[in-house]
Amino acid sequence: MVKISNTSKLDARSWSLQAIDTCPGSWAEPGILVDACRGCYATTGNYNYPNVIAPRVHNREDWQRLEWADDMVAELDSDRYFRWFDSGDAYSLGLAEKILEVMIRTPWCKHWLPTRMHKFPKFRAVFESMQRLENVMVRFSADSVDGSYIPGLHGSVIGPDAESYSQTADSKLCEAYAHGGQCSGCRACWDKTIPVIAYPAHGQKMAKVIRLMSVQ
Ligand code: SF4
Protein backbone atom coordinates (compact mmCIF):
# COMPACT_ATOMS: atom_id res chain seq x y z
CA MET A 1 0.00 0.00 0.00
CA VAL A 2 1.32 3.41 -1.03
CA LYS A 3 1.89 5.78 1.93
CA ILE A 4 1.85 9.49 1.15
CA SER A 5 2.92 12.32 3.48
CA ASN A 6 1.24 15.67 3.86
CA THR A 7 3.69 18.49 4.44
CA SER A 8 1.85 21.50 5.80
CA LYS A 9 4.47 23.87 4.35
CA LEU A 10 4.01 22.91 0.73
CA ASP A 11 0.31 22.62 -0.05
CA ALA A 12 1.35 19.45 -1.87
CA ARG A 13 1.65 15.80 -0.98
CA SER A 14 4.88 13.87 -0.91
CA TRP A 15 6.31 10.34 -1.05
CA SER A 16 9.28 9.96 1.27
CA LEU A 17 11.90 7.66 2.74
CA GLN A 18 14.05 7.84 5.86
CA ALA A 19 16.67 10.61 5.66
CA ILE A 20 20.37 9.64 5.68
CA ASP A 21 19.59 5.87 5.46
CA THR A 22 18.49 6.36 1.85
CA CYS A 23 20.80 9.26 1.01
CA PRO A 24 24.09 7.86 -0.32
CA GLY A 25 24.75 11.25 -1.91
CA SER A 26 24.82 12.87 1.53
CA TRP A 27 28.27 11.51 2.44
CA ALA A 28 31.37 13.59 1.69
CA GLU A 29 33.50 10.66 2.79
CA PRO A 30 32.91 7.68 5.10
CA GLY A 31 31.57 9.02 8.39
CA ILE A 32 31.38 12.65 7.23
CA LEU A 33 28.16 14.16 5.88
CA VAL A 34 28.27 17.02 3.39
CA ASP A 35 27.58 20.39 5.02
CA ALA A 36 24.01 20.62 3.75
CA CYS A 37 23.12 17.24 5.28
CA ARG A 38 24.81 17.85 8.64
CA GLY A 39 21.91 20.11 9.56
CA CYS A 40 19.18 18.09 7.81
CA TYR A 41 15.72 19.12 9.04
CA ALA A 42 14.46 15.59 8.39
CA THR A 43 16.58 14.15 11.23
CA THR A 44 15.10 16.39 13.92
CA GLY A 45 11.79 17.32 15.58
CA ASN A 46 8.65 15.74 14.15
CA TYR A 47 10.70 13.48 11.91
CA ASN A 48 11.70 11.43 14.96
CA TYR A 49 8.09 10.55 15.84
CA PRO A 50 7.21 6.87 15.29
CA ASN A 51 4.19 7.80 13.16
CA VAL A 52 6.47 9.77 10.83
CA ILE A 53 9.22 7.15 10.70
CA ALA A 54 6.86 4.20 10.09
CA PRO A 55 5.54 5.20 6.62
CA ARG A 56 9.08 6.03 5.47
CA VAL A 57 10.37 2.63 6.55
CA HIS A 58 7.32 1.01 4.92
CA ASN A 59 7.91 2.85 1.62
CA ARG A 60 11.44 1.51 1.35
CA GLU A 61 10.05 -1.99 0.97
CA ASP A 62 6.80 -1.05 -0.69
CA TRP A 63 8.23 0.51 -3.88
CA GLN A 64 9.66 -2.88 -4.82
CA ARG A 65 6.18 -4.37 -5.41
CA LEU A 66 5.30 -5.05 -9.05
CA GLU A 67 2.09 -3.01 -8.72
CA TRP A 68 3.70 -0.01 -7.05
CA ALA A 69 3.82 2.28 -10.11
CA ASP A 70 0.17 1.45 -10.95
CA ASP A 71 -0.83 2.27 -7.37
CA MET A 72 1.10 5.56 -7.40
CA VAL A 73 -0.56 6.63 -10.66
CA ALA A 74 -3.99 5.91 -9.15
CA GLU A 75 -3.02 7.69 -5.91
CA LEU A 76 -2.07 10.87 -7.79
CA ASP A 77 -5.38 11.07 -9.64
CA SER A 78 -6.38 14.32 -7.90
CA ASP A 79 -2.93 15.82 -7.28
CA ARG A 80 -1.77 18.74 -9.41
CA TYR A 81 1.55 19.27 -7.59
CA PHE A 82 3.61 16.50 -6.01
CA ARG A 83 6.95 16.49 -4.24
CA TRP A 84 9.18 13.46 -4.19
CA PHE A 85 11.31 13.08 -1.06
CA ASP A 86 10.31 15.49 1.61
CA SER A 87 12.92 13.27 3.27
CA GLY A 88 15.22 10.61 1.83
CA ASP A 89 16.44 10.24 -1.76
CA ALA A 90 16.10 8.05 -4.87
CA TYR A 91 18.83 5.72 -3.58
CA SER A 92 18.17 2.89 -6.06
CA LEU A 93 18.22 3.02 -9.86
CA GLY A 94 15.22 0.68 -9.87
CA LEU A 95 13.30 3.15 -7.71
CA ALA A 96 14.32 6.10 -9.92
CA GLU A 97 13.12 4.22 -13.01
CA LYS A 98 9.77 3.48 -11.37
CA ILE A 99 9.39 7.15 -10.38
CA LEU A 100 10.07 8.10 -14.02
CA GLU A 101 7.27 5.75 -15.06
CA VAL A 102 4.89 7.40 -12.58
CA MET A 103 5.86 10.86 -13.88
CA ILE A 104 5.22 9.83 -17.50
CA ARG A 105 1.84 8.34 -16.60
CA THR A 106 0.64 11.40 -14.62
CA PRO A 107 0.93 14.33 -17.06
CA TRP A 108 -1.80 16.20 -15.15
CA CYS A 109 0.47 16.51 -12.12
CA LYS A 110 3.63 18.61 -11.78
CA HIS A 111 6.45 16.74 -10.04
CA TRP A 112 9.40 18.24 -8.15
CA LEU A 113 12.23 15.91 -7.26
CA PRO A 114 15.25 17.19 -5.29
CA THR A 115 18.20 14.79 -5.22
CA ARG A 116 21.91 14.28 -4.57
CA MET A 117 21.98 11.04 -6.58
CA HIS A 118 23.28 12.95 -9.62
CA LYS A 119 26.73 12.34 -8.12
CA PHE A 120 26.48 8.74 -9.27
CA PRO A 121 26.90 8.55 -13.07
CA LYS A 122 24.54 5.60 -13.54
CA PHE A 123 21.61 7.84 -12.45
CA ARG A 124 22.26 10.59 -14.99
CA ALA A 125 20.21 9.05 -17.83
CA VAL A 126 17.09 8.54 -15.74
CA PHE A 127 17.24 12.10 -14.36
CA GLU A 128 17.71 13.46 -17.90
CA SER A 129 14.63 11.52 -19.00
CA MET A 130 12.66 12.99 -16.10
CA GLN A 131 13.84 16.53 -16.82
CA ARG A 132 12.76 16.28 -20.45
CA LEU A 133 9.15 15.86 -19.30
CA GLU A 134 7.09 19.08 -19.25
CA ASN A 135 5.55 18.20 -15.88
CA VAL A 136 8.82 17.46 -14.05
CA MET A 137 11.47 19.60 -12.37
CA VAL A 138 14.47 17.66 -11.04
CA ARG A 139 16.69 19.81 -8.83
CA PHE A 140 20.22 18.62 -8.09
CA SER A 141 21.01 19.84 -4.58
CA ALA A 142 24.28 21.67 -3.88
CA ASP A 143 26.21 20.46 -0.83
CA SER A 144 27.14 23.87 0.56
CA VAL A 145 25.36 25.94 3.21
CA ASP A 146 26.93 29.24 2.16
CA GLY A 147 24.90 29.75 -1.00
CA SER A 148 27.59 28.53 -3.41
CA TYR A 149 26.57 26.23 -6.26
CA ILE A 150 27.68 25.20 -9.72
CA PRO A 151 25.63 27.02 -12.38
CA GLY A 152 24.20 24.63 -14.92
CA LEU A 153 24.44 21.67 -12.54
CA HIS A 154 22.71 22.50 -9.27
CA GLY A 155 19.03 23.37 -8.99
CA SER A 156 18.95 24.30 -5.31
CA VAL A 157 21.25 25.51 -2.58
CA ILE A 158 21.14 26.44 1.09
CA GLY A 159 22.30 29.93 2.05
CA PRO A 160 22.96 31.25 5.54
CA ASP A 161 20.03 33.69 5.81
CA ALA A 162 17.73 35.80 3.67
CA GLU A 163 19.52 39.07 4.50
CA SER A 164 22.90 37.95 3.19
CA TYR A 165 21.47 36.26 0.09
CA SER A 166 22.61 38.02 -3.05
CA GLN A 167 20.33 37.64 -6.03
CA THR A 168 21.87 36.06 -9.12
CA ALA A 169 20.43 35.99 -12.61
CA ASP A 170 19.53 32.31 -12.39
CA SER A 171 18.41 31.95 -8.76
CA LYS A 172 15.38 32.79 -6.69
CA LEU A 173 15.22 33.11 -2.93
CA CYS A 174 12.64 30.90 -1.21
CA GLU A 175 10.48 33.29 0.75
CA ALA A 176 8.65 30.77 2.92
CA TYR A 177 10.46 32.36 5.92
CA ALA A 178 8.37 35.50 5.34
CA HIS A 179 5.11 33.50 5.40
CA GLY A 180 5.44 31.60 8.65
CA GLY A 181 7.39 28.81 6.95
CA GLN A 182 4.58 28.17 4.43
CA CYS A 183 4.78 28.23 0.63
CA SER A 184 1.56 30.26 0.58
CA GLY A 185 0.80 29.56 -3.05
CA CYS A 186 4.40 29.83 -4.32
CA ARG A 187 5.21 27.05 -6.79
CA ALA A 188 8.72 28.15 -7.72
CA CYS A 189 10.26 24.79 -6.88
CA TRP A 190 8.17 23.15 -9.61
CA ASP A 191 8.89 25.93 -12.11
CA LYS A 192 11.18 24.77 -14.91
CA THR A 193 11.99 28.37 -15.87
CA ILE A 194 13.78 28.98 -12.52
CA PRO A 195 17.18 27.23 -12.62
CA VAL A 196 18.11 27.54 -8.92
CA ILE A 197 16.15 27.98 -5.69
CA ALA A 198 18.12 29.34 -2.71
CA TYR A 199 16.74 28.26 0.66
CA PRO A 200 17.71 30.28 3.74
CA ALA A 201 19.02 27.89 6.39
CA HIS A 202 16.38 26.96 8.90
CA GLY A 203 16.34 25.14 12.20
CA GLN A 204 18.67 25.17 15.19
CA LYS A 205 20.71 22.24 13.90
CA MET A 206 21.57 23.98 10.62
CA ALA A 207 22.33 27.22 12.50
CA LYS A 208 24.87 25.24 14.55
CA VAL A 209 26.51 23.83 11.38
CA ILE A 210 26.91 27.35 10.01
CA ARG A 211 28.31 28.64 13.33
CA LEU A 212 30.83 25.80 13.39
CA MET A 213 31.87 26.50 9.80
CA SER A 214 32.41 30.19 10.55
CA VAL A 215 34.98 29.41 13.26
CA GLN A 216 36.90 26.83 11.19
S1 SF4 B 1 10.54 28.45 -3.28
FE1 SF4 B 1 8.33 28.61 -3.13
S2 SF4 B 1 7.57 26.51 -3.57
FE2 SF4 B 1 9.76 26.33 -3.09
S3 SF4 B 1 9.81 25.84 -0.87
FE3 SF4 B 1 10.04 28.11 -1.10
S4 SF4 B 1 7.96 28.96 -0.92
FE4 SF4 B 1 7.76 26.72 -1.33
Side-chain angles (χ1 to χ4, degrees):
M1 178 186 166
V2 165
K3 296 212 171 180
I4 303 290
S5 330
N6 279 307
T7 31
S8 55
K9 173 188 176 186
L10 293 173
D11 309 325
R13 303 197 304 159
S14 178
W15 186 89
S16 294
L17 297 170
Q18 271 292 81
I20 309 296
D21 288 354
T22 61
C23 302
S26 68
W27 297 99
E29 54 187 281
I32 307 286
L33 291 169
V34 300
D35 291 334
C37 297
R38 286 165 64 194
C40 177
Y41 65 88
T43 59
T44 60
N46 293 350
Y47 285 88
N48 289 323
Y49 292 157
N51 65 333
V52 176
I53 292 172
R56 287 164 171 76
V57 170
H58 165 89
N59 283 344
R60 184 167 184 166
E61 296 298 320
D62 190 53
W63 74 262
Q64 299 175 50
R65 285 186 298 115
L66 289 177
E67 309 80 12
W68 182 81
D70 294 340
D71 291 353
M72 278 300 302
V73 170
E75 181 70 31
L76 297 187
D77 190 41
S78 300
D79 292 73
R80 294 299 173 264
Y81 290 87
F82 193 75
R83 173 180 175 166
W84 293 92
F85 304 111
D86 178 59
S87 61
D89 205 342
Y91 67 99
S92 152
L93 191 56
L95 170 59
E97 286 169 347
K98 284 196 174 186
I99 291 173
L100 171 62
E101 180 187 343
V102 173
M103 291 167 164
I104 290 169
R105 293 172 60 192
T106 54
W108 59 84
C109 179
K110 290 190 186 300
H111 298 259
W112 157 33
L113 189 152
T115 184
R116 291 180 204 283
M117 296 307 295
H118 60 279
K119 297 175 182 179
F120 304 99
K122 70 178 182 179
F123 284 80
R124 284 292 175 88
V126 69
F127 289 143
E128 284 169 12
S129 296
M130 290 178 182
Q131 198 70 320
R132 278 196 291 273
L133 299 171
E134 282 185 12
N135 60 323
V136 176
M137 185 60 190
V138 178
R139 294 192 180 275
F140 294 168
S141 307
D143 288 339
S144 75
V145 292
D146 62 2
S148 57
Y149 62 89
I150 301 172
L153 174 66
H154 293 133
S156 66
V157 64
I158 295 171
D161 55 50
E163 289 72 35
S164 55
Y165 167 75
S166 38
Q167 182 82 39
T168 59
D170 62 354
S171 72
K172 178 194 184 311
L173 179 68
C174 167
E175 295 184 16
Y177 68 91
H179 305 286
Q182 306 291 311
C183 293
S184 301
C186 173
R187 296 299 191 187
C189 288
W190 285 267
D191 189 334
K192 290 172 83 74
T193 68
I194 302 175
V196 179
I197 304 287
Y199 303 103
H202 55 294
Q204 292 184 353
K205 198 170 170 189
M206 184 58 82
K208 187 175 169 198
V209 170
I210 290 170
R211 272 202 310 278
L212 286 170
M213 287 180 63
S214 66
V215 297
Q216 280 173 358

